[in-house]
Structures are given as structure tokens and as C-alpha cells.
């Protein structure tokens, strides 16, 4: 059984796992390898997701906005998922993910999440993605998500009502988008609205902080269907 603590995946096993996953990106750039290792080691969502999967393995996983696919590959390497499908609009990252997944039960595809079908799955992951979409597209994607996920949905969301953390988060997003030349403003939906949409689809929902070590307003929505 992978080592986990109440707060998250234990630090030393997480470092070793991050190194194992990053090693699969040997054919990518040094930047990509460093990003994968740093993201897995430093993002609070990694430890939170792995802890949940250690308690109840995820089965068939769909990762929306998967980027380079490192979180899903970590789940596969730890035996916490049976199969992985990753979707992202960035073709270069999808190519890196596909190469890194060689020999694993994973497939990655380029997709526009505003319109793409969501494959059926046991567990659906969507980390830091919804807020980047127009509001109407977020609502439409949520409808496809609840229809596709048989057991659980995990959403890492930006809480726009989280006081000083929200103010810091908005400022950091504006600065980052200015540097990248991206003029589209983020539009995070209120967390109670997300909870209500999931609950209306039959999920039991809890919300936990997911900002450890950062000043950001990130929370993790854990939505699970009651056992039959």
C-alpha cells in the first residue's frame, strides 16, 4: 500500500514517485522533465489526489486538461488507477505525455474541452481548468462531466470568495496573463454553485483546502456517488 498520511501522500515516497515519473520524460526537454518533477513534488493537489486514491483506487481515470499527463501517470505507476485517458488542447504537451506513457494503459488526445465529449470513467480529474473557460462553457462541461463519471469527480477550483487569498490569486493570474500576452480574464465560478451542480447530479460533495504552502485560494471538491 502506498505510504500516505492524513495530510497527504508522505513526503519521501512522493519525491521518489516524482523522480520515477520524470524519468519517463527523458525524451522531452530538460524543462519538461523539471516541470513534471517540480509539479508532482510541489503542487498540493498531487499529494491530495494520491492520498484519496490510496484509500480507494480510482479505476478508469479521465484527466481533463491533463497537460503533460504527470498526475495520471503517477496514479498508474503506483497502482492506483487501472487505465488513464488524458485530454488537453496543447498538442506539444499531449505528444510528451504519450511518449512518457509508453507501455502503460494510457492514451492522450488533443481536445477542446469547451466542446469535446467526456469519455465514461470511474474517476474524473479536472485540476485548475474550469476557471480558464467562459462561464457558459464551464456549465456545459460540468454537465458532460457528471454524465461521464460513474464514481467520483475531483475538481481543484479557485475560490473567488476566499478573502485575501482570492485577491492574491486574481493578482497573480493577471500578472501571469500579462507576461504571456493572454488577454482572457479568468472566470472562477463560486464554489457553492459547483457544489450544487454536483449534488444535483447525485454526488455527495465535500470541499477541502488545497493551498498548502501557497497564498492561493485553491480548494479541492471531492464528489462521490453513494455506494449502491
Amino acid at each position: 500500500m502506498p505510504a500516505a498520511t492524513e495530510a497527504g501522500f508522505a513526503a519521501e515516497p512522493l519525491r521518489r514517485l516524482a523522480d520515477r515519473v520524470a524519468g519517463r520524460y527523458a525524451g522531452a526537454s530538460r524543462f519538461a522533465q523539471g516541470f513534471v518533477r517540480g509539479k508532482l513534488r510541489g503542487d498540493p493537489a498531487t499529494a491530495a489526489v494520491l492520498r484519496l486514491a490510496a484509500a480507494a483506487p480510482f479505476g478508469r481515470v479521465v484527466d481533463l486538461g491533463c497537460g503533460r499527463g504527470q498526475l495520471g501517470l503517477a496514479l498508474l505507476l503506483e497502482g492506483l488507477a487501472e487505465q488513464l485517458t488524458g485530454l488537453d488542447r496543447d498538442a506539444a504537451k499531449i505528444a510528451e505525455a504519450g511518449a512518457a506513457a509508453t507501455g502503460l494503459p494510457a492514451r492522450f488526445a488533443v481536445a477542446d474541452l469547451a466542446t469535446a465529449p467526456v469519455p465514461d470513467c470511474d474517476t474524473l480529474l479536472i485540476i485548475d481548468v474550469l476557471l480558464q473557460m467562459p462561464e457558459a462553457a464551464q456549465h456545459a462541461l460540468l454537465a458532460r462531466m457528471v454524465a461521464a463519471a460513474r464514481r467520483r469527480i475531483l475538481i481543484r477550483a479557485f475560490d473567488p470568495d476566499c478573502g485575501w487569498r482570492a485577491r492574491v490569486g486574481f493578482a497573480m493570474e493577471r500578472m501571469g496573463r500579462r507576461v504571456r500576452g493572454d488577454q482572457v480574464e479568468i472566470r472562477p465560478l463560486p464554489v457553492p454553485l459547483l457544489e450544487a451542480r454536483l449534488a444535483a447530479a447525485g454526488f455527495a460533495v465535500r470541499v477541502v483546502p488545497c493551498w498548502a504552502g501557497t497564498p492561493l485560494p485553491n480548494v479541492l471538491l471531492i464528489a462521490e456517488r453513494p455506494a449502491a
Side-chain angles (χ1 to χ4, degrees):
M1 174 65 67
T5 69
E6 185 64 26
F9 210 69
E12 185 55 34
L14 181 54
R15 283 193 289 270
R16 292 196 296 267
L17 176 58
D19 289 342
R20 286 174 63 202
V21 176
R24 300 185 70 89
Y25 292 78
S29 66
R30 291 180 64 184
F31 172 83
Q33 272 195 303
F35 176 89
V36 164
R37 182 179 288 108
K39 189 72 171 171
L40 289 175
R41 287 184 177 184
D43 189 336
T46 302
V49 169
L50 289 170
R51 176 173 59 81
L52 291 167
F58 282 179
R60 294 172 178 248
V61 174
V62 167
D63 187 357
L64 299 180
C66 65
R68 293 181 172 87
Q70 66 276 349
L71 181 54
L73 296 188
L75 289 166
L76 288 175
L77 290 176
E78 283 297 294
L80 301 176
E82 297 172 6
Q83 188 180 77
L84 170 68
T85 299
L87 304 179
D88 198 279
R89 67 181 181 181
D90 190 318
K93 291 178 181 177
I94 286 294
E96 291 173 347
T102 299
L104 296 175
R107 75 173 188 90
F108 295 92
V110 177
D112 180 356
L113 297 183
T115 57
V118 176
D120 290 342
C121 59
D122 297 312
T123 300
L124 189 147
L125 308 176
I126 182 165
I127 308 296
D128 302 338
V129 172
L130 281 175
L131 79 164
Q132 302 179 46
M133 303 173 69
E135 286 191 29
Q138 292 184 57
H139 287 289
L141 179 55
L142 281 166
R144 299 198 302 279
M145 287 164 51
V146 299
R150 289 185 286 265
R151 285 163 37 190
R152 68 179 61 82
I153 296 174
L154 302 181
I155 302 173
R156 212 256 294 266
F158 181 115
D159 184 352
D161 301 311
C162 196
W164 67 266
R165 288 182 178 276
R167 293 192 292 274
V168 170
F170 278 117
M172 291 179 66
E173 285 286 344
R174 283 194 294 270
M175 184 180 302
R177 288 171 186 273
R178 189 175 300 118
V179 168
R180 297 190 299 270
D182 184 350
Q183 302 302 315
V184 179
E185 290 291 328
I186 62 170
R187 298 177 178 85
L189 296 175
V191 170
L193 188 153
L194 294 173
E195 289 184 80
R197 288 293 304 272
L198 295 166
F203 290 88
V205 187
R206 55 195 171 102
V207 181
V208 297
C210 197
W211 57 59
T214 78
L216 299 174
N218 294 328
V219 297
L220 187 66
L221 288 91
I222 304 165
E224 297 178 304
R225 293 193 188 277

